[in-house]
Amino acid sequence: HWGLRILDITDLANPVELGFHPGYSYVGDGAVAGNYVFMPAGWILGIGDVSDPSTPNPERYFDVPIYTNVAVQGNYAYAAAGSVFSVIDLSDPLQPVAAAKDTLPGLEVTQRVAVNGNYACITEQPTNRVYVIDISNPVNPVMMGSAQTSGPLDVTMEGNYVYVAAAGWGLMVIDISDPSNPNVVAVAGDSPHPDAVAVDGNRAYVLDEIQGLYIYDVSNPAAPVLVGSIDTTSYAYDLEVTGSHVGISDVYNGLQVIDGSDPANPFLSG
């Protein structure tokens, strides 16, 4: 939970650390836009200049309620904490402006935020719901609807579908083609301790903090099919997909790289 590390993944089998800065505490899941990185850092938003990867420089902190992650789309960042959903204008990344800071109905203990086009989705506990918010006008977010789930943690969006890592249930898929009435259309219960989810094309990747990585074919989102898995042997926390490779953040082993070019037989490549 401490510091920012920047890695060169030109050779995915042999990632090389380029830079490190210890100046961030309680760091969550951040986002990169241009030469800047935006991170949850001790319940506020940390903004860093990474134009020189060898010497990342924390530029400033912005006081906005934020919990485990921040999502960036265009000139706006989206974050949530407790019952508050915040939108930050990043037109000038070093002079962020609070565009919206609203207590939205239903939100109590938010977990993660994802954005895609005109909508944002938030996983929330203890009501165990996934909320859909209209962000077509970022300064005036509007709650549209929600779907009942169980233990929703991480969330990502692809087209009209929302993919959720749900504790005790595994992968949940929600159809938001009618955002006012989101509907759970599939549950794949292979992963008992899912912590993170990512989607790339027709593949969904679910990271189980204890049992490793699960790879699904989601060419039909309403019927995900498990095609492969691999035990990452330690305490996995988060993941990022680039091409056929999956980067996994491991609490004890740092960055692990999984080669999923053959999704039925993924293997540790770095």
Side-chain angles (χ1 to χ4, degrees):
H1 292 294
W2 296 89
L4 169 67
R5 296 183 186 275
I6 301 178
L7 305 178
D8 184 339
I9 57 170
T10 304
D11 180 357
L12 286 165
N14 296 285
V16 177
E17 182 172 308
L18 295 179
F20 170 71
H21 198 289
Y24 298 96
S25 60
Y26 298 102
V27 175
D29 187 5
V32 177
N35 290 326
Y36 296 94
V37 61
F38 306 91
M39 298 176 297
W43 292 88
I44 58 177
L45 179 66
I47 303 173
D49 184 341
V50 292
S51 54
D52 181 356
S54 65
T55 55
N57 182 29
E59 291 288 351
R60 64 165 299 169
Y61 294 93
F62 186 63
D63 189 5
V64 61
I66 191 169
Y67 183 38
T68 57
N69 84 312
V70 59
V72 174
Q73 178 177 265
N75 287 330
Y76 293 93
Y78 301 84
S83 61
V84 178
F85 178 67
S86 298
V87 183
I88 304 103
D89 187 336
L90 301 175
S91 299
D92 180 352
L94 298 185
Q95 298 293 330
V97 176
K101 188 176 179 182
D102 297 334
T103 299
L104 296 178
L107 297 184
E108 292 185 41
V109 183
T110 55
Q111 297 295 312
R112 300 286 184 96
V113 180
V115 296
N116 183 35
N118 289 329
Y119 296 100
C121 279
I122 297 177
T123 54
E124 194 275 342
Q125 297 178 8
T127 63
N128 291 324
R129 303 191 75 87
V130 174
Y131 289 86
V132 182
I133 300 168
D134 185 335
I135 54 170
S136 54
N137 179 3
V139 303
N140 184 32
V142 177
M143 180 71 76
M144 297 298 295
S146 67
Q148 183 69 56
T149 63
S150 178
L153 295 171
D154 197 18
V155 59
T156 191
M157 305 170 70
E158 183 79 15
N160 287 326
Y161 293 92
V162 176
Y163 298 81
V164 180
W169 288 81
L171 174 66
M172 281 191 170
V173 185
I174 302 172
D175 184 343
I176 61 166
S177 52
D178 177 2
S180 64
N181 186 33
N183 181 38
V184 176
V185 294
V187 177
D190 305 282
S191 167
H193 315 97
D195 208 29
V197 60
V199 174
D200 184 57
N202 290 330
R203 296 278 184 262
Y205 302 84
V206 176
L207 185 63
D208 187 293
E209 63 184 16
I210 297 174
Q211 297 188 3
L213 179 69
Y214 293 79
I215 304 175
Y216 293 89
D217 182 338
V218 290
S219 50
N220 178 3
V225 176
L226 179 66
V227 293
S229 64
I230 181 173
D231 187 348
T232 53
T233 71
S234 189
Y235 189 85
Y237 174 73
D238 203 358
L239 80 167
E240 187 73 27
V241 179
T242 175
S244 60
H245 289 77
V246 183
I248 293 174
S249 175
D250 186 279
V251 172
Y252 300 110
N253 296 317
L255 176 67
Q256 294 184 312
V257 180
I258 305 296
D259 187 328
S261 51
D262 177 4
N265 296 285
F267 64 92
L268 183 66
S269 63

